Amino acid sequence: MSPPFHFAIHLETLLRLTSKQINANQTHRNSSPASPPQDVKEKLKNIEKQKEAAKRGIDEAKAAGGKKDESNAFPIAFTSTSTQLQMGKKNHSSKFQKVAQISGDANKKRGSNKRGSCGGRNPEKRAKRFERWGTVCDPARLKDAQSCKALHIHRIKSFPSDFLNIRPSGKTVRETVAKHRYPNTAAELQALPNTGKILLPLDHLDPATVPADIPPFIIMRFEHLITADEQHRLWFRWDQLLAAKPAHLLKHDKNRSASEAWHLGVWEITESIEAIDVLLRFIKTLIAPKISGVFQEHAPAQWEALCRAHNHVLNELGSQFHLRPNLDMGGPFFTVAAKEAGSGITHLDWNDDRAIFAFIFAVGDWEGGEFCAPQLGIKIPLRPGQVLAVLARVLAHFSAPVTKGRRIVFTCFTDKLLFRHSDPVIVIL
């Protein structure tokens, strides 16, 4: 530290002490304040002399071009005080080093309990939190979180264009599958992972083989899109609908399955009863917004076209939506088909548009029921909480048999006539 800085510190300290002494002497005097005592005046004179001597020493050192020794530039009193300050600094530094060493030893003893450089909980605390959170909330989600499974991307060898330009015929679909010797049973298909997000992209294929209006993915599966509580509540509303026994036209398509399906939404005229509206309101409020988010993220161009179609339908059916607002799902789809078990016969969804996803999810407690795509040679498990997005007009598909339990499957789709209203030039009447 430079000599002027030392001198300023000691001079200020000494003046402060001298001022205190003067104030103390004045306080103890009974008479009116007078001039400072003689000893105080002498001390002040000494300070001035020391100050002048210090300045002379500094000036001489600068003139000589070198650094003058502190012992010659400062009086003994200041030098000793400086030495004391330096000794105090050294003592403080040594104490700090001891504390740091003790802290470091403690961290070494803790080992894995110390937080990492990136922050966050250590593995033990994360495991405890997962255990507590999963026990209270959702064990299935806990198991998947602990497994830390990454995104699964399955790349197909070629675009399945077998049914792009054929007339609607279930018989033709089955004959084509047999002709190309595609696997027609679930046991022959490759099973994709039970948990985790699955994407089947098309960006690696030759663009000339993929129609321009097709979205970037042909199949997607999303994990934990529907919570356990929402599944139970949806299951309860489905049972309420069955118990109400409303007058409704059930669809029985022998080219799909032997079971009947309900079609609810903007597709046909149905009886307006409370059970149907409660079910649709639940899907509209809690499930449709999540589907909108993943739709917009993974297929933005198709999402914009569907939004234009939605606005057109709102203008045309504004009065109907005013009477039954739960028919409006907000854009990601217009109709909900619901049935128990599944469709076990290979088929296409002829009423869908080839460029728009159908979203499939199921509730219940069951085994089996995988989504099977013979053209791709795969089957994709669909478990509670998962949502499957598929181009159901492009891919021939069927459901594997449900071997145990009860399964209620919901298919949310958009009729191709409604979607074609997204472009005023392409309107099929």
Side-chain angles (χ1 to χ4, degrees), residues 10-138:
H10 303 317
L11 180 61
E12 182 182 356
T13 303
L14 186 58
L15 288 175
R16 189 183 301 113
L17 293 174
T18 306
S19 177
K20 289 183 180 180
Q21 185 177 359
I22 293 172
N23 293 335
N25 293 335
Q26 289 180 351
T27 303
H28 287 86
R29 289 182 179 181
N30 296 326
S31 60
S32 59
S35 61
Q38 187 66 25
D39 56 345
V40 175
K41 291 182 179 180
E42 293 178 357
K43 289 182 179 179
L44 291 175
K45 290 181 180 179
N46 292 333
I47 291 172
E48 293 294 333
K49 292 179 180 180
Q50 292 170 357
K51 182 177 177 182
E52 292 177 0
K55 288 182 177 180
R56 285 196 301 270
I58 295 172
D59 294 338
E60 291 176 0
K62 289 182 179 180
K67 184 175 180 181
K68 194 173 182 62
D69 187 11
E70 288 186 12
S71 61
N72 297 328
F74 294 98
I76 297 177
F78 295 126
T79 306
S80 61
T81 307
S82 174
T83 305
Q84 292 175 2
L85 290 175
Q86 291 178 359
M87 291 178 61
K89 183 177 181 182
K90 290 181 179 179
N91 293 335
H92 177 72
S93 176
S94 62
K95 290 180 182 179
F96 177 78
Q97 291 175 357
K98 290 180 180 179
V99 173
Q101 183 177 3
I102 295 172
S103 178
D105 294 340
N107 289 335
K108 290 180 180 179
K109 292 180 180 179
R110 285 196 293 267
S112 61
N113 292 332
K114 184 180 178 182
R115 287 175 178 253
S117 60
C118 297
R121 296 179 177 85
N122 59 60
E124 294 180 1
K125 290 186 177 180
R126 286 200 300 268
K128 289 181 180 180
R129 180 172 175 81
F130 279 141
E131 182 179 358
R132 177 181 178 275
W133 165 64
T135 303
V136 175
C137 299
D138 192 346

Side-chain angles (χ1 to χ4, degrees), residues 157-409:
K157 297 180 180 179
S158 60
F159 184 79
S161 57
D162 304 292
F163 307 113
L164 290 180
N165 300 312
I166 69 168
R167 306 185 69 177
S169 171
K171 182 179 179 181
T172 303
V173 172
R174 291 186 292 273
E175 289 177 351
T176 303
V177 170
K179 177 182 177 181
H180 291 83
R181 296 183 180 180
Y182 294 132
N184 57 3
T185 62
E188 302 176 69
L189 300 172
Q190 174 190 352
L192 297 189
N194 289 327
T195 59
K197 183 178 179 180
I198 295 177
L199 295 177
L200 274 70
L202 303 174
D203 56 356
H204 63 289
L205 301 178
D206 183 3
T209 63
V210 182
D213 57 344
I214 297 296
F217 305 94
I218 193 169
I219 296 180
M220 303 181 291
R221 190 188 69 188
F222 303 98
E223 192 77 22
H224 308 311
L225 217 60
I226 304 175
T227 65
D229 178 66
E230 292 169 350
Q231 296 167 43
H232 291 302
R233 293 165 65 186
L234 184 60
W235 191 351
F236 175 74
R237 282 157 177 76
W238 170 256
D239 288 337
Q240 281 187 321
L241 175 61
L242 296 182
K245 297 180 179 179
H248 183 75
L249 179 61
L250 295 176
K251 301 292 183 181
H252 181 200
D253 189 352
K254 64 180 181 179
N255 290 316
R256 292 172 178 260
S257 66
S259 58
E260 298 175 332
W262 295 72
H263 286 76
L264 311 171
V266 185
W267 207 48
E268 64 179 36
I269 298 175
T270 60
E271 182 181 357
S272 177
I273 64 169
E274 184 179 359
I276 293 178
D277 284 341
V278 167
L279 179 66
L280 291 177
R281 180 167 62 249
F282 184 87
I283 295 175
K284 169 186 177 178
T285 305
L286 298 177
I287 299 177
K290 301 177 185 179
I291 293 178
S292 297
V294 297
F295 198 154
Q296 184 176 6
E297 178 183 358
H298 293 82
Q302 287 73 19
W303 170 255
E304 291 180 3
L306 195 56
C307 288
R308 293 194 296 270
H310 178 248
N311 292 333
H312 180 84
V313 173
L314 288 179
N315 293 331
E316 294 295 327
L317 302 178
S319 59
Q320 296 296 325
F321 283 158
H322 180 73
L323 296 175
R324 297 188 62 188
N326 296 317
L327 295 176
D328 179 17
M329 293 294 164
F333 51 86
F334 290 86
T335 307
V336 179
K339 66 187 307 182
E340 302 223 10
S343 302
I345 302 175
T346 304
H347 66 281
L348 288 171
D349 292 352
W350 301 107
N351 294 305
D352 291 15
D353 191 273
R354 70 181 190 180
I356 296 299
F357 292 108
F359 295 92
I360 307 169
F361 56 89
V363 297
D365 185 11
W366 74 92
E367 295 179 3
E370 296 89 348
F371 177 87
C372 301
Q375 295 165 277
L376 305 180
I378 61 172
K379 59 181 177 182
I380 303 177
L382 184 61
R383 303 305 305 161
Q386 298 174 341
V387 174
L388 186 70
V390 58
L391 297 181
R393 174 60 181 82
V394 175
L395 282 174
H397 57 277
F398 65 92
S399 296
V402 176
T403 57
K404 182 180 178 181
R406 186 184 179 196
R407 176 179 184 258
I408 303 102
V409 59

Side-chain angles (χ1 to χ4, degrees), residues 399-421:
S399 296
V402 176
T403 57
K404 182 180 178 181
R406 186 184 179 196
R407 176 179 184 258
I408 303 102
V409 59
F410 297 86
T411 302
C412 305
F413 67 96
T414 297
D415 185 271
K416 61 182 178 182
L417 299 182
L418 292 180
F419 174 68
R420 291 302 170 180
H421 286 288

